Amino acid sequence: MGVRRVAKSIGEHLWEFAMEAVGEMVLSFLACILLGGLAFMAYPSWAVNPRLTVAGTTLAGVALAHGAWVALRRRPKGTEDAPRRGIAAITTGFLALTSGVTLFLAFYASGCNC
């Protein structure tokens, strides 16, 4: 009875280890694809028009700064539950998306040998 339970426990741990390894490999592969896609988008943009690339990057930085300001500032009393509208919602979403992609790449593309 004890041997069967030990064998089952060992089998479960091996299965969990294998699934974690496969998951890590898939996430690293996706991070490499995302990083390569970003580089593929940036290089032709820079090659065609460097000034426009810098202007677009600056505009994206301003949008990120506005999104961070809207997301992190204190809201006036009585408007805590009011939804964000317009530009504030867009820039806050842009900040959240960019932050998520950055964290994903920081965790999974750091060991990427692409």
Side-chain angles (χ1 to χ4, degrees):
M1 195 74 162
V3 172
R4 184 178 293 166
R5 188 172 40 200
V6 169
K8 184 177 179 181
S9 176
I10 290 172
E12 288 174 359
H13 286 295
L14 287 174
W15 180 254
E16 183 180 336
F17 175 75
M19 288 297 106
E20 283 183 16
V22 168
E24 185 78 24
M25 188 172 56
V26 167
L27 287 174
S28 294
F29 179 71
L30 289 174
C32 283
I33 289 175
L34 180 62
L35 192 61
L38 289 172
F40 181 72
M41 285 175 28
Y43 179 73
S45 171
W46 183 262
V48 170
N49 193 345
R51 287 182 181 172
L52 193 59
T53 304
V54 171
T57 305
T58 304
L59 186 62
V62 168
L64 285 173
H66 184 264
W69 179 73
V70 169
L72 301 176
R73 71 181 170 104
R74 285 186 170 221
R75 299 180 82 184
K77 288 189 176 186
T79 61
E80 288 86 14
D81 296 334
R84 292 182 171 85
R85 288 185 168 69
I87 298 296
I90 291 170
T91 57
T92 303
F94 185 57
L95 174 73
L97 177 71
T98 306
S99 300
V101 168
T102 302
L103 286 174
F104 176 71
L105 287 175
F107 284 127
Y108 291 105
S110 56
C112 182
N113 295 324
C114 28

